[in-house]
Structures are given as structure tokens and as C-alpha cells.
Amino acid sequence: MFERSRCWLGAVALALCAQVAAADAPRVVALGGDITETVYALDAQQSLVGVDSTSLWPAAARELPNVGYVRQLAAEGVLALRPNLILATHDAGPPPVMAQLREAGVRIELMPATRTPEGVVAKVREIGRALGREAAADAIAHRIETQYAELSKAVAGMKSHPRVLFLMATEGSPKAGGRETAAASAIVLAGGTQIADGFTGYKPVSAEALVALAPDVILLMRERADEVGGVSGVLQLPGVALTPAGKARRIVFVDGQALLGFGPRNAEHELELQRVFAGVQP
Amino acid sequence: MNSIALPRRHALSARAWALGGLAALLAVAAIGGMAVGAMPLSATQVLGALLRWLDGLPMQGQDAVVLTLRLPRVLMASLVGAALACSGATMQGLFRNPLVEPGLVGVSAGAALGAIGMIVLGGAVTAVLSPLLGSFAIAGAAFGGGLLATFLVYRFGSRRPGVATLLLAGVAINAIAMAGVGVLTYLANEHQLRDLTFWTLGSLGGTSWARLGAVAPLLLLPLLWLPTQARALNALLLGEREASLLGFEPRKLRRRLVTVVALATGAAVAMCGVIGFVGLLVPHLLRLVWGPDHRLLLPGSALAGAGLMIGADAVARVAVAPAELPVGVITALLGGPFFLWLLSRLRTGEAG
């Protein structure tokens, strides 16, 4: 018995040596669409060995091994990618799996949830630090800060703030983005008035409630534009045609990942949205 | 005393063969479960890790993957599978109805309500705890919810003799609990929605020695006790009057069995979410093959349930690696067609 286990020991030691040679290169698993975006923005994608299922942009990220939904990770699956750094959104989970990954000795950097310009900039810098790409992070942070400064100046100059509703067309009643959603933050940041404030999260709204909310602009995700049948499809949804937005055909499709992910592309998309809002005549 | 008319000696050896075969299947499943995973490990590495562990030697290389991830998970799968299947066999015997599953007395729906209530409303509770303890809080709420629902079903269902009232009370409590789940689903935010969807599909992900240790007694004790009730369940098959003539007390028996089944199922569901089909399929399958003798059915279901769960979990772990599928999807996906195939091979009148 002892002889045999010694033999195995040798085999394992050999296997280990082979691994150590490759262990110097950074091997990063990015968990969260905004984090993956940032890694690409920092031009550090060559160190990525895996992403989660919310990492949809850029398209190249979808070619990487996918560890599944960010809140339903599998410890062995992630470890099989032999990462030496996990960059994760703060609510990656489930907690027992995060504990297992930590116990396995993998360095885990948790990024706070951010829906503010300061938060986005801080996140870029923090990921830059974790990847050892501070210079690239600085450059991007400066660019984003300039864009946000431009945005806040433009918003301050708005005469009125149009009433904006974010909709997700689903089976049955469409769902509206209420308080504490990324959509609400994005709307306010771009100078709109977030009108669905009677509830939190994304909740179904009836046709009547939609009319009563009287939005000047209706936002939807561009990713799902085809599913809802474009602008004309949205106008067909019960109630939409009776709203100011419907009458003026102010149905706007936004890039959900870029805008609502609050990653490095948020600022430019907020600027774009602000220009739409500024064009609304009360 | 025995309800089985087979000659004793013949029955005994047939049973030994059947249980031996199932135990061998379980061993094969366990070896398979240890051998596969997202991490490509050779048999040598897996065996080496296990031997070093047994010899008390320090871990090296990828031993941690085998010893802290795979081993507790295979053990958890076998305990949970055994508990669910054995509970299912007990309930089918108790209700004399092959379509019954352990969830009928409300334990699964109650547990789901407890867990989802904690996920959605328990923010204040889970916020003061570390995330890891928070996951135990969810399990605790699920366990409590399952027991409470079962208690209510039993209180309302045992007012009249016979199992029909119990069955109906179970249907009603299940409906109420699922309505509660519906309300909570509406209240949940996007994250909680994803969490509770996964919870209702069941998963053995995140199984650690600590989680295994917390739940093992609640699964092991029922697994050891339930098979000792085989003769009573056999007698009950003849009818309640006949059972009491044979010296059993159906009322007392029912209370004990329901309690123990609720404990085992509640604990399993609390740790791993709702894993469907094992409790229904496994005992039914064995009954189709070997007949209704509970002396074979109860331990047999435990062995087969354990093997099936290890296999299903292994598929869940490797099918979409490095991600993972919910194991409840696998049990239904594997179990359903197999069950249909078996049914189609039977002549009319043989089922049940």
C-alpha cells in the first residue's frame, strides 16, 4: 500500500511541475458583464480564461469558457480554469461556493455595485490595479470623467426633464423599471424624470397604469428590439399608443449592456440618451 | 404477522440478491461520481488524494478538489437521494397510492416558502450574518417551513380516519404555500428572482463538509429507522382494519412515519432545494420490478435513490462545465423517459 502511494506521489509531483511553469502568467476569471467590459477596455483580455453568462460584450468574450450565471457558480468548474485572480461583482455567489474558491487559495477581488459616475471611474481604476494596468486605467478614467463632466453640464442646461419610463416587453403585461433599478439611475443621470417610483425593481404594469404614468419617452433594450417588433411593435402594446410617448412615437431603444451595466461605456451612452431627452419639447 | 405469502427462505435470498445488486450499482455510481468533474483529474490523482486522506497525510496538488469539493458532494448526493427515495417509498405505502411523493404532506412546498421568504424578506436577517451564515439561515427557514407545513397538514388531515383527508389537507396546504411563493416572486427583485428560480430547481452546488455535517444526522437517522417499519407498512397494504387486527396501530404509525418523512425530506430540501422525481420514480420503479414488499422496497429505494442522485449530479457537474446545471432538471430529464419506457414494457393491469 505504502509503495503504491509513493508511486502516485511521484506522478502528482510531476503533474504539479508542469502546472507551475504556466502558473506565472495571469489567469483571470471575470464575473459580471461590466467587469469583463472593463478588462477588455484595459486591453487585458489575453489574461482572461473564463467569464460568466452576463458577460455579453464584446462578442469575443462569448467565445471564452462560460462558468454560468454569476450567482450560481460551480466551485470545481471555476477552479478547472486554474485562475489566479477572480474579478467578481460584489454579489457573485452562492456564498458557499465563494467560500470554497477562497479556501482553494484563489485571489478574489470583489467590485462594489456602482450606478454613479464616481463609482464607474473607481471601478475602472480598481480593476486596473488588480490587473497591474494602472496606466491604461488612468487614461480610461480620465476619458470617462471628461464625458461625465460634459454630461452633467448638459443636464444642468436642460429647461425641462422629460418623464421617462423604462419597459421590458415580456409575455403578458410589460414590466416597468421602478425604484432602485439600473434603468432608474441611467434615466436620472441623463436628465430624465424617473416616473415609475411607486415600486422597486421591474414589475408588470397594466395598460391603464401605463397611460396614467404618461411618459414622454419610453425606453427599451435594443438587444430585444426584434423580439418586440421594433417601434411599431411597442406601439401595439396595450396602452402605449395613448401615452405622450406613443403619440409622438418617442420609443427609444438603448444598448442595455452598455448603459445599464454601468461599465466603461456607460458615459458615452448616457450622453447619447441625454441628447434624446433634450430634444423632447414639453 | 407477515403480509407476504412467499416462502420465507426464497423471499430472503431474492431480497439479498436484489439489495446486493443495488448496493453494487451504488458503488459504481459513487466511483463514477468521484472520477468525473470539471477539473480533468486522472484516476491516479483521485485515488492518491483519497489514500493520502485515509493515511492522514497532508494534501498536495489537486487533492483539495477531490477531498473538499467532490467527496462531500458525492456523500451529500447519496444521502439526499437515499432520503428522498426512501421517504417516497414510505409515503406511497402509507397512502397506498403509487403516485404519492414525499412532497404531498406539504413539506417541499412549505420548505420552498420558508427558503424563498428568507431570500426575499430576510434581508435584515441575512444582512447581519456573513453571506455564508446567511445561506444557513435560508436552509434553516426552509427546514422550519417544511416542518410547519407538514404539521398543519397533519392537524387538519387527521381529524377523520383514513388517509383521504390527509391527502386533501396536503393538497390545500400545498396550494396555500405555492400562493405564498407566488406573492414573494412578485415582491422579489431581479437577483432574488434568479436565486429563487435556481432554488426551486435544486442543486448540490456549494456542498462542503460543514453543510454535509449539519444535515447528515437529519438524513441518516430516518434512513436507518424507516426500513424497520417495513412490516408495519406491509400490513397497512392490506387495509387499516386488517393492520390493526395484525397488531399494528395505524394512527400512531401514520403520525410517526409522517414526522420522520418530514424530517428527512425537509432536511434534504433545505440544503439542496427542490429535487423532483427521485422520491416518486425510484420506489415506483422498484415496485414494478420486485413487487410491493417494503422489506425490500425501503432499503432498496434508499440504495437506488443514492445511486441515481450521484449519477444525476455528476451529469449536472460536467454537462456544461465549467458551469453547472440544476440537478432537479437532470433527475426529471433522465427519470421521465426511462419511466415511460418501463411503463410501455408492462402489460396493462400490471402497474400499481
Side-chain angles (χ1 to χ4, degrees), chain A residues 221-239:
Chain A
M221 290 223 268
R222 190 175 299 151
E223 288 92 325
R224 304 180 67 176
D226 291 340
E227 275 170 59
V228 297
V231 173
S232 55
V234 176
L235 289 170
Q236 303 280 315
L237 293 173

Side-chain angles (χ1 to χ4, degrees), chain A residues 8-9 71 76 100 203, chain B residues 44 60 70 186 195 207 324:
Chain A
W8 275 317
L9 263 161
R71 290 178 68 76
E76 196 180 326
Q100 286 173 334
K203 296 281 151 65
Chain B
T44 324
Q60 45 176 273
R70 277 192 205 168
Y186 175 80
D195 284 358
T207 298
E324 200 169 282

Side-chain angles (χ1 to χ4, degrees), chain B residues 77 107 115 137 144 232 266 290:
Chain B
V107 61
W290 282 306

Side-chain angles (χ1 to χ4, degrees), chain B residues 284-318:
Chain B
H284 206 70
L285 206 72
L286 298 189
R287 197 178 294 109
L288 287 175
V289 179
W290 282 306
D293 183 357
H294 284 93
R295 292 172 305 167
L296 172 57
L297 204 54
L298 292 175
S301 293
L303 291 171
L308 175 71
M309 189 63 90
I310 293 174
D313 184 53
V315 174
R317 282 186 288 139
V318 295

Side-chain angles (χ1 to χ4, degrees), chain A:
Chain A
M1 182 72 116
F2 187 61
E3 275 304 300
R4 273 160 70 198
S5 59
R6 276 242 310 255
C7 185
W8 275 317
L9 263 161
V12 170
L14 268 177
L16 255 158
C17 286
Q19 272 180 21
V20 167
D24 301 327
R27 297 179 62 86
V28 180
V29 171
L31 305 175
D34 54 335
I35 291 170
T36 303
E37 266 191 66
T38 310
V39 173
Y40 274 88
L42 293 170
D43 201 25
Q45 61 271 27
Q46 61 284 349
S47 58
L48 275 182
V49 294
V51 295
D52 75 316
S53 65
T54 64
S55 298
L56 300 170
W57 194 93
R62 291 187 228 178
E63 307 295 318
L64 289 165
N66 189 321
V67 297
Y69 183 58
V70 64
R71 290 178 68 76
Q72 207 60 37
L73 302 167
E76 196 180 326
V78 174
L79 290 178
L81 302 171
R82 292 187 288 111
N84 45 29
L85 172 62
I86 295 175
L87 287 174
T89 173
H90 74 291
D91 55 1
V97 170
M98 295 309 283
Q100 286 173 334
L101 291 174
R102 212 165 277 128
E103 275 162 32
V106 186
R107 179 175 154 218
I108 301 178
E109 297 279 348
L110 291 183
M111 300 295 150
T114 52
R115 286 176 189 165
T116 61
E118 300 75 40
V120 172
V121 170
K123 183 163 62 185
V124 168
R125 288 188 192 277
E126 205 165 326
I127 293 175
R129 223 174 353 258
L131 292 170
R133 299 190 66 89
E134 286 89 346
D138 259 354
I140 294 171
H142 280 308
R143 195 192 74 216
I144 298 177
E145 272 169 338
T146 316
Q147 286 169 330
Y148 279 126
E150 193 186 328
L151 175 71
S152 70
K153 223 170 96 187
V155 169
M158 285 169 84
K159 290 193 188 69
S160 67
H161 300 277
R163 300 166 59 80
V164 185
L165 185 68
F166 180 85
L167 277 190
M168 284 200 291
T170 48
E171 286 300 308
S173 299
K175 285 185 184 159
R179 280 184 283 118
E180 293 168 34
T181 59
S185 307
I187 288 169
V188 173
L189 200 53
T193 307
Q194 155 69 13
I195 51 176
D197 57 359
F199 52 86
T200 59
Y202 299 88
K203 296 281 151 65
V205 284
S206 67
E208 262 186 68
L210 207 59
V211 179
L213 282 168
D216 296 317
V217 181
I218 292 178
L219 301 182
L220 294 102
M221 290 223 268
R222 190 175 299 151
E223 288 92 325
R224 304 180 67 176
D226 291 340
E227 275 170 59
V228 297
V231 173
S232 55
V234 176
L235 289 170
Q236 303 280 315
L237 293 173
V240 169
L242 300 175
T243 62
K247 285 174 190 154
R249 294 178 68 91
R250 276 190 298 259
I251 312 295
V252 180
F253 289 98
V254 295
D255 186 328
Q257 178 61 37
L259 185 74
L260 305 181
F262 281 89
R265 293 182 299 152
N266 171 265
E268 52 190 284
H269 283 257
E270 291 284 358
L271 273 168
E272 212 177 287
L273 192 60
Q274 189 275 331
R275 284 192 280 275
V276 173
F277 290 170
V280 177
Q281 302 299 321

